[in-house]
């Protein structure tokens, strides 16, 4: 599943990510695309605090960050 939040600003990506996680099953993998600086900081931080595995890939050419996430809980 790909969640593209590149056209949104905080807090929309954070809220939508929390809703996705709430409704997803453990083991679900997703890619989250972010471009807002606040979201780039907040979204991976909250996912890690929730116990999920997060791999961050920066895309300097487009000022985007891709989060590869595996939901653990």
């Amino acid at each position: 599943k790909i969640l593209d939040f590149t056209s949104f600003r905080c807090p929309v990506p954070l809220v939508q990510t929390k809703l996705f996680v709430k409704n997803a099953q453990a083991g679900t993998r997703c890619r989250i695309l972010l471009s807002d600086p606040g979201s780039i900081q907040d979204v991976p931080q909250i996912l890690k605090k929730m116990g999920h595995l997060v791999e961050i890939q920066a895309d300097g050419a487009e000022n985007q960050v891709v989060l590869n996430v595996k939901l653990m809980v």
Side-chain angles (χ1 to χ4, degrees):
K1 175 97 178 160
I2 297 176
L3 305 175
D4 185 353
F5 297 126
T6 54
S7 61
F8 296 97
R9 300 292 169 243
C10 208
V12 173
L14 183 61
V15 171
Q16 291 297 316
T17 297
K18 285 182 175 181
L19 287 172
F20 174 77
V21 168
K22 180 179 178 182
N23 295 313
Q25 295 185 4
T28 299
R29 293 180 181 269
C30 66
R31 292 174 62 111
I32 302 174
L33 311 179
L34 302 167
S35 61
D36 174 59
S39 298
I40 288 170
Q41 180 179 350
D42 295 345
V43 173
Q45 186 177 37
I46 194 72
L47 287 169
K48 288 177 184 178
K49 281 186 180 179
M50 294 170 77
H52 305 298
L53 299 177
V54 180
E55 175 190 331
I56 301 171
Q57 296 177 333
D59 184 348
E62 298 182 25
N63 277 341
Q64 291 183 2
V65 168
V66 177
L67 305 179
N68 294 310
V69 181
K70 181 177 181 185
L71 304 180
M72 301 304 289
V73 182

